[in-house]
Amino acid sequence: MGIKGYFIGLFFLAPIIFFIHELGHAFFGKLCGYKLAKIEIGTGKAVFKIGLIEFKSVYFLGGHYYAENKIDNILGQMLMVFGGAIFNFFIIFICVLLLHNGVLRSHWLLHAFINFNAYIGIAALLPIQYFQRGKSDGQRIYYIIKHLYSRRKSKNTDQ
């Protein structure tokens, strides 16, 4: 792939893949009753906005999904948080299927797109703390499960 490929991947593919990831959160959030407030692509100062999608100055570094309302539905919360990775893995599945059936031709850019999607999907599920952004999707899932477990535990000790 070379250095040229890494730059293309970082500056061109990464924002597309982050958008796909955040779109997954928005899709499953909407499905579970959340109202989309906005999607941010990148970090830093806002550069421009198209509808509910805001592009930041460092457009190739991450993304974020904001919902206006919170619902007390554990399954809905988990599905919304998993939604980003689900969309990344779904895109990989579609690309591999189209590649296997000859609809798409093998190209380093397509392979970079598939690999970046896998990287973002897997990295998002790691339970880690980000520097400025807060919790990863994996850490959010951990806290949802922890909250559910502590709620059930307190319910059982109250009886």
Side-chain angles (χ1 to χ4, degrees), residues 17-82:
I17 292 165
F18 285 124
F19 177 70
I20 290 167
H21 183 88
E22 299 308 325
L23 203 58
H25 291 303
F27 175 81
F28 284 103
K30 183 77 173 164
L31 197 66
C32 296
Y34 287 86
K35 184 176 182 208
L36 173 64
K38 74 176 174 177
I39 291 176
E40 290 179 352
I41 303 301
T43 61
K45 294 181 180 181
V47 177
F48 67 94
K49 189 174 182 177
I50 301 173
L52 297 175
I53 304 165
E54 187 174 88
F55 294 87
K56 304 287 190 154
S57 56
V58 188
Y59 66 93
F60 54 87
L61 193 60
H64 201 76
Y65 160 77
Y66 294 94
E68 285 185 359
N69 59 326
K70 302 277 184 189
I71 56 173
D72 193 28
N73 176 341
I74 300 295
L75 182 61
Q77 290 175 11
M78 288 181 70
L79 193 55
M80 183 191 71
V81 174
F82 272 123

Side-chain angles (χ1 to χ4, degrees), residues 82-94:
F82 272 123
I86 291 171
F87 263 43
N88 288 124
F89 296 131
F90 180 71
I91 289 295
I92 292 168
F93 174 76
I94 295 298

Side-chain angles (χ1 to χ4, degrees), residues 8 13 18 29 40 51 65 73-76 78-79 88 92 103 107 109 114 120-122 138 141 143 146 148 152:
I8 289 172
L13 293 179
F18 285 124
E40 290 179 352
Y65 160 77
N73 176 341
I74 300 295
L75 182 61
M78 288 181 70
L79 193 55
N88 288 124
I92 292 168
V103 177
H107 190 273
L109 196 56
I114 291 169
I120 297 304
I122 292 168
I141 292 293
Y143 283 117
K146 184 178 175 183
L148 177 64
R152 284 190 178 164

Side-chain angles (χ1 to χ4, degrees), residues 1-9 13 105-115:
M1 186 159 70
I3 194 79
K4 177 181 153 188
Y6 286 111
F7 279 111
I8 289 172
L13 293 179
R105 297 173 103 184
S106 183
H107 190 273
W108 69 266
L109 196 56
L110 177 62
H111 293 282
F113 181 72
I114 291 169
N115 290 334

Side-chain angles (χ1 to χ4, degrees), residues 95-146:
C95 288
V96 169
L97 187 68
L98 293 174
L99 188 61
H100 179 73
N101 287 315
V103 177
L104 294 176
R105 297 173 103 184
S106 183
H107 190 273
W108 69 266
L109 196 56
L110 177 62
H111 293 282
F113 181 72
I114 291 169
N115 290 334
F116 269 78
N117 264 291
Y119 171 76
I120 297 304
I122 292 168
L125 295 177
L126 296 175
I128 58 173
Q129 181 78 31
Y130 294 137
F131 296 107
Q132 296 175 341
R133 289 288 193 186
K135 301 173 188 76
S136 68
D137 295 344
Q139 195 171 33
R140 290 177 195 275
I141 292 293
Y142 169 75
Y143 283 117
I144 291 169
I145 293 169
K146 184 178 175 183

